[in-house]
Amino acid sequence: MIRPNTADTTTPMVWLQGVTKHYGTVVALDEIDLEVRRSEFLTLLGPSGSGKTTILNLISGMVGPTAGRIWIDGKDITEMPPNKRGLGMVFQNYALMPHMTVFENIAFPLRVRKLKSGVIKTKVAEVLDLVRLPEVARRKPSELSGGQQQRIAIARCLVYNPSIILMDEPLGALDKKLREEMQLELKRLHASLDITAIYVTHDQEEALTMSDRIVLLNDGQIEQMGTPDDLYFHPRSLFSAEFLGDSNILSGNIEEAGPTVTISTAVGQCRCSRACGFAESGTPVKIMVRPENVFILPPGTSDEHLNKVPARMVDTITFGGVIKSYLQLADGSSMVVQELTRAGQSVPEAGSEVYVAWSSEDTIILPVEGRIEIPAPPS
Amino acid sequence: MFFVTPFLIYMGIVFFIPVGLILFTGFVSEETGQFTFEYFQAFFTQGLYLRVLWTTIEVSFMGALIVLLCGYPIAYYLAKQPPKRRMYLSLFVLLPFYTSILVKSFAFVVILGHSGAVNWLLRFFLGEDFGVQLLYNRIGVMFGIVHDMLPFIVFPILVNLLAQNPALHRAAEIMGASRTRIFWQVTFPLSLPGIFAGILLVVVRVMGQFVTPSLLGGRTDIMMANLVDFHVNDVLDWNMAAVISILLAVMAGVFLVALARLRGAQIFGAET
Ligand SMILES: Nc1ncnc2c1ncn2[C@@H]1O[C@H](COP(=O)(O)OP(=O)(O)OP(=O)(O)O)[C@@H](O)[C@H]1O
Ligand SMILES: [Mg+2]
């Protein structure tokens, strides 16, 4: 995405420098280094307990780090109290004041900033328009639907123009349809206002659709960081591959390294023409291929770019626009194939013997444990 | 239904029958056996009784206010403590419950009396002929009430404070609010149901008190309950005793309804 150039694009908006957080004996974060760029939409993604909320709490100042420093816009704010940091935050359960009207809720941060009551009125009206709820100023939060309450919570956060907005699963309490609507809404607001957004979710689809960059967390460490495409198409570990999207995984050993790597597996040889860090033959590895990159072929087809193994159809399920076929390979491991549905399409029956095939370019080699280290950028 | 039957029988014997008897004694003439307001008339035409009625109201509300002023900070402090420490500190708030009224009164004399600790200190710092009357007047009554009633206000408020959604305070803090602002605009308004519940408990209980005022108060600090005691035990005018009891119950009822009106149905449900 192309963004307008702001004055200073080199200083990160937020920088966690070697940050560790312990809760008693629990290591919630283990020496994290994280830079959030100006005006980007950064998502913290990870399973429950991986440290996402802890990162937000450290940035907002609700808790202090056990070690490391935290910088906002080039200033070390590690010791600064939360009410001096000038951030915005949207909570999962909205955290609207139940005893105040919508107007009073949104006016609260403006009153804190001692604005004149005339200015407050205009600003509240403006921001209510922005979230498309101009009519509800006099109501109490309890008189609004969940989606409306979340919009008010967002309005309350936008009204004082914080340069950074933290969001902790803001859409977690909404149903699927409303969630998708609000995702677009948030994207729209982020694109139209020049804000740095740090967004927490454990929903990988949400992360893939909304983010400029994703930080995938695993057990208090950064597993992988990059654009949604990076994470989806170039996972650097089994954890990344399995956490984002569906994946088919086979075990094998490197047989022959080179521009095209050959791997021997229990179901036959596979080739991978992507660059990978494995050179030594005999190294045990995992290979991963996305379900949408696998085809079901009738016996007899051949193509030298394709990896092809025999399989038996087990089941087929149609999910609206896509068909997922579940197959079993010769060694008993299973494979999922995902195709777009087309009218008049015929899928092999359950029990029939077929081949599954995928190209050597879509084959990703991953270490059995840990992650592929990024080669240091040439200096 | 089966399981509550024993309870209903018990309540019938110890509550509804006596209340019925009191109503009967208050409203039915001893001579004619007819329904009558004569005993009520007798009450409302006695200047002394009216003064006692007023004293009762005054002492209850003044007491509740002072108890609130002392109790809120305690509840607030307790709410901020880690759970273990809070439990252990709560035991101290409950101490007045474990202490007999006679022991307490004696302690008050030792502390507040003419030659008690407080006056001794005052004299030590301010000179020999300095002294304040802290017992056997309204001040003494207030000391007694605060001591007796503190738990009744601390616990409803504490429960409310603990039930408040911590995200609200965090949100306010991140929006830039100072501690003072957060207290007055978030914590305090949200704790109103707890405050009202506490005040209700204190006012209703103080209205029915007679031991504390008679032990620590002066001659003018006579409460309605003292009058009941006087009529039952000394002059044996049970009709007047019944009238005063009924008035006390009505006052408590009116106060309860007024509070309920003020806060809708939220009095006992802490809405956070
Ligand atoms: N106040 C606390 N006291 C003790 N341990 C804590 C505290 N807060 C978090 N932890 C621990 O720190 C780790 C990270 O927690 P965190 O809340 O950051 O996870 P999360 O990624 O936000 O998870 P979720 O998706 O469930 O919200 C967890 O193991 C958690 O148990
Ligand atoms: Mg969390």
Side-chain angles (χ1 to χ4, degrees), chain A residues 97-340:
Chain A
M97 309 294 170
H99 58 296
M100 297 182 189
T101 61
V102 166
F103 180 90
E104 282 306 321
N105 264 287
I106 300 176
F108 185 89
L110 302 177
R111 294 204 201 286
V112 170
R113 285 162 181 76
K114 307 220 156 51
L115 297 191
K116 296 237 162 50
S117 83
V119 181
I120 291 180
K121 271 196 190 125
T122 5
K123 285 201 173 230
V124 173
E126 272 172 23
V127 80
L128 279 173
D129 274 342
L130 192 66
V131 298
R132 303 179 187 178
L133 281 176
E135 308 289 323
V136 301
R138 287 159 180 282
R139 292 200 221 161
K140 288 279 182 71
S142 57
E143 295 159 0
L144 299 175
S145 73
Q148 289 173 329
Q149 288 185 46
Q150 192 53 286
R151 276 165 207 251
I152 298 306
I154 292 165
R156 180 178 69 172
C157 182
L158 295 176
V159 75
Y160 58 100
N161 300 320
S163 50
I164 302 168
I165 291 190
L166 311 173
M167 291 179 267
D168 196 350
E169 308 207 26
L171 310 182
L174 304 179
D175 62 49
K176 192 169 184 300
K177 188 161 177 301
L178 204 52
R179 253 176 109 102
E180 282 167 4
E181 211 177 295
M182 290 296 294
Q183 288 173 4
L184 293 180
E185 187 93 13
L186 279 175
K187 284 290 285 182
R188 174 180 74 87
L189 289 170
H190 177 253
S192 60
L193 310 163
D194 185 36
I195 311 174
T196 307
I198 306 178
Y199 189 92
V200 164
T201 182
H202 56 240
D203 177 343
Q204 43 110 359
E205 257 177 65
E206 192 166 283
L208 289 172
T209 44
M210 299 189 71
S211 325
D212 294 330
R213 281 198 308 152
I214 296 174
V215 175
L216 180 59
L217 292 162
N218 178 16
D219 206 11
Q221 295 190 321
I222 295 180
E223 184 73 27
Q224 190 170 350
M225 188 167 13
T227 63
D229 278 7
D230 262 349
L231 265 76
Y232 191 79
F233 294 111
H234 306 280
R236 285 212 305 270
S237 65
L238 269 181
F239 180 86
S240 302
E242 287 179 320
F243 200 85
L244 280 111
D246 293 325
S247 49
N248 293 304
I249 314 257
L250 296 173
S251 306
N253 293 295
I254 303 267
E255 201 169 277
E256 201 186 321
T260 300
V261 186
T262 315
I263 307 107
S264 65
T265 74
V267 292
Q269 270 194 349
C270 283
R271 274 156 301 148
C272 166
S273 57
R274 284 196 183 202
C276 74
F278 299 96
E280 210 163 312
S281 53
T283 319
V285 291
K286 297 277 183 184
I287 57 180
M288 192 281 277
V289 54
R290 297 285 182 200
E292 64 270 27
N293 294 334
V294 187
F295 311 97
I296 300 175
L297 293 180
T301 325
S302 81
D303 179 335
E304 69 168 280
H305 292 292
L306 287 183
N307 292 309
K308 202 167 83 172
V309 298
R312 191 160 45 83
M313 290 293 295
V314 175
D315 199 4
T316 303
I317 300 175
T318 311
F319 295 87
V322 298
I323 295 184
K324 284 192 182 178
S325 303
Y326 298 86
L327 299 104
Q328 196 173 41
L329 304 185
D331 67 338
S333 59
S334 54
M335 184 155 277
V336 186
V337 177
Q338 181 179 314
E339 297 166 290
L340 295 178

Side-chain angles (χ1 to χ4, degrees), chain A residues 351-366:
Chain A
S352 55
E353 300 291 336
V354 292
Y355 281 90
V356 284
W358 62 93
S359 97
S360 57
E361 273 135 40
D362 293 328
T363 311
I364 295 166
I365 306 181
L366 296 168

Side-chain angles (χ1 to χ4, degrees), chain A residues 62 83 96 99 108 112-113, chain B residues 168 170 173 175-177 185:
Chain A
M62 293 322 309
N83 59 354
L96 294 172
H99 58 296
F108 185 89
V112 170
R113 285 162 181 76
Chain B
L168 297 179
R170 280 196 228 155
E173 206 176 350
M175 286 188 278
Q185 300 200 347

